[in-house]
Short mmCIF file of all heavy atoms in Angstrom, two decimals:
data_model
loop_
_atom_site.label_atom_id
_atom_site.label_comp_id
_atom_site.label_asym_id
_atom_site.label_seq_id
_atom_site.Cartn_x
_atom_site.Cartn_y
_atom_site.Cartn_z
N ASP A 237 -1.54 16.80 12.15
CA ASP A 237 -0.10 16.81 11.98
C ASP A 237 0.51 15.41 11.92
O ASP A 237 1.67 15.26 11.56
CB ASP A 237 0.58 17.63 13.08
CG ASP A 237 0.45 17.01 14.45
OD1 ASP A 237 -0.43 16.17 14.66
OD2 ASP A 237 1.25 17.37 15.34
N VAL A 263 -3.47 27.37 6.75
CA VAL A 263 -2.52 26.71 7.65
C VAL A 263 -2.71 27.30 9.05
O VAL A 263 -2.74 28.50 9.23
CB VAL A 263 -1.07 26.93 7.20
CG1 VAL A 263 -0.10 26.24 8.14
CG2 VAL A 263 -0.88 26.40 5.78
N VAL A 264 -2.85 26.40 10.04
CA VAL A 264 -3.11 26.78 11.41
C VAL A 264 -2.00 26.22 12.29
O VAL A 264 -1.62 25.05 12.17
CB VAL A 264 -4.48 26.27 11.88
CG1 VAL A 264 -4.77 26.71 13.32
CG2 VAL A 264 -5.59 26.75 10.95
N ASP A 265 -1.48 27.03 13.22
CA ASP A 265 -0.41 26.53 14.08
C ASP A 265 -0.96 25.78 15.29
O ASP A 265 -2.18 25.61 15.43
CB ASP A 265 0.55 27.67 14.49
CG ASP A 265 -0.08 28.68 15.45
OD1 ASP A 265 -1.17 28.41 16.00
OD2 ASP A 265 0.51 29.76 15.64
N ALA A 266 -0.08 25.34 16.20
CA ALA A 266 -0.48 24.55 17.34
C ALA A 266 -1.35 25.29 18.33
O ALA A 266 -1.98 24.68 19.19
CB ALA A 266 0.77 24.02 18.05
N HIS A 267 -1.42 26.62 18.21
CA HIS A 267 -2.24 27.44 19.10
C HIS A 267 -3.58 27.80 18.49
O HIS A 267 -4.35 28.57 19.07
CB HIS A 267 -1.48 28.71 19.49
CG HIS A 267 -0.14 28.44 20.10
ND1 HIS A 267 0.01 27.91 21.38
CD2 HIS A 267 1.13 28.59 19.60
CE1 HIS A 267 1.32 27.76 21.62
NE2 HIS A 267 2.01 28.17 20.58
N GLY A 268 -3.85 27.28 17.28
CA GLY A 268 -5.12 27.61 16.63
C GLY A 268 -5.10 28.93 15.89
O GLY A 268 -6.16 29.45 15.52
N VAL A 269 -3.91 29.48 15.66
CA VAL A 269 -3.79 30.76 14.97
C VAL A 269 -3.44 30.53 13.50
O VAL A 269 -2.56 29.74 13.17
CB VAL A 269 -2.69 31.62 15.63
CG1 VAL A 269 -2.49 32.92 14.86
CG2 VAL A 269 -3.05 31.91 17.08
N VAL A 270 -4.17 31.23 12.63
CA VAL A 270 -3.93 31.11 11.20
C VAL A 270 -2.60 31.76 10.84
O VAL A 270 -2.39 32.94 11.14
CB VAL A 270 -5.08 31.74 10.38
CG1 VAL A 270 -4.78 31.73 8.89
CG2 VAL A 270 -6.40 31.05 10.67
N THR A 271 -1.73 30.99 10.20
CA THR A 271 -0.42 31.55 9.82
C THR A 271 -0.31 31.79 8.30
O THR A 271 0.60 32.49 7.88
CB THR A 271 0.71 30.60 10.25
OG1 THR A 271 0.53 29.34 9.61
CG2 THR A 271 0.70 30.43 11.77
N PRO A 283 2.13 21.69 10.02
CA PRO A 283 3.11 22.05 11.06
C PRO A 283 2.86 21.22 12.33
O PRO A 283 1.74 20.81 12.60
CB PRO A 283 2.83 23.54 11.29
CG PRO A 283 1.44 23.75 10.85
CD PRO A 283 1.20 22.80 9.70
N ALA A 284 3.90 21.02 13.11
CA ALA A 284 3.80 20.24 14.33
C ALA A 284 2.73 20.82 15.26
O ALA A 284 2.75 22.01 15.57
CB ALA A 284 5.15 20.21 15.05
N GLY A 285 1.79 19.98 15.65
CA GLY A 285 0.71 20.41 16.53
C GLY A 285 -0.37 21.20 15.83
O GLY A 285 -1.39 21.53 16.45
N GLY A 286 -0.17 21.54 14.55
CA GLY A 286 -1.11 22.36 13.83
C GLY A 286 -2.06 21.58 12.94
O GLY A 286 -2.22 20.38 13.05
N ARG A 287 -2.70 22.31 12.04
CA ARG A 287 -3.66 21.72 11.10
C ARG A 287 -3.56 22.47 9.77
O ARG A 287 -3.19 23.63 9.71
CB ARG A 287 -5.11 21.84 11.61
CG ARG A 287 -5.38 21.14 12.95
CD ARG A 287 -5.38 19.65 12.82
NE ARG A 287 -5.76 18.97 14.05
CZ ARG A 287 -4.91 18.53 14.97
NH1 ARG A 287 -3.62 18.78 14.82
NH2 ARG A 287 -5.34 17.91 16.05
N ASP A 306 -3.53 35.54 11.32
CA ASP A 306 -3.63 35.96 12.71
C ASP A 306 -5.02 35.74 13.31
O ASP A 306 -5.22 35.98 14.51
CB ASP A 306 -3.23 37.42 12.91
CG ASP A 306 -1.75 37.64 12.65
OD1 ASP A 306 -0.97 36.67 12.85
OD2 ASP A 306 -1.37 38.76 12.27
N ASP A 307 -5.98 35.28 12.50
CA ASP A 307 -7.26 34.89 13.07
C ASP A 307 -7.10 33.62 13.91
O ASP A 307 -6.18 32.81 13.65
CB ASP A 307 -8.30 34.61 11.96
CG ASP A 307 -8.89 35.88 11.37
OD1 ASP A 307 -8.75 36.93 12.04
OD2 ASP A 307 -9.47 35.80 10.28
N ARG A 308 -7.98 33.43 14.86
CA ARG A 308 -7.97 32.21 15.67
C ARG A 308 -9.17 31.35 15.31
O ARG A 308 -10.31 31.86 15.25
CB ARG A 308 -7.99 32.54 17.15
CG ARG A 308 -7.78 31.32 18.07
CD ARG A 308 -7.71 31.77 19.52
NE ARG A 308 -6.54 32.57 19.79
CZ ARG A 308 -5.33 32.05 20.08
NH1 ARG A 308 -5.16 30.76 20.13
NH2 ARG A 308 -4.32 32.86 20.32
N VAL A 309 -8.92 30.08 15.03
CA VAL A 309 -10.02 29.15 14.66
C VAL A 309 -10.04 28.00 15.65
O VAL A 309 -9.03 27.65 16.29
CB VAL A 309 -9.85 28.62 13.23
CG1 VAL A 309 -9.93 29.75 12.22
CG2 VAL A 309 -8.58 27.83 13.07
N THR A 310 -11.19 27.39 15.77
CA THR A 310 -11.36 26.26 16.66
C THR A 310 -12.00 25.10 15.88
O THR A 310 -12.91 25.32 15.07
CB THR A 310 -12.29 26.62 17.84
OG1 THR A 310 -11.72 27.72 18.55
CG2 THR A 310 -12.45 25.44 18.79
N ILE A 311 -11.50 23.90 16.11
CA ILE A 311 -12.10 22.71 15.53
C ILE A 311 -12.86 22.01 16.62
O ILE A 311 -12.28 21.55 17.61
CB ILE A 311 -11.01 21.80 14.92
CG1 ILE A 311 -10.34 22.50 13.74
CG2 ILE A 311 -11.63 20.46 14.48
CD1 ILE A 311 -9.17 21.75 13.16
#
Side-chain angles (χ1 to χ4, degrees):
D237 67 340
V263 180
V264 182
D265 69 12
H267 305 288
V269 176
V270 175
T271 61
R287 299 289 185 267
D306 293 333
D307 281 344
R308 188 176 294 275
V309 297
T310 303
I311 295 174

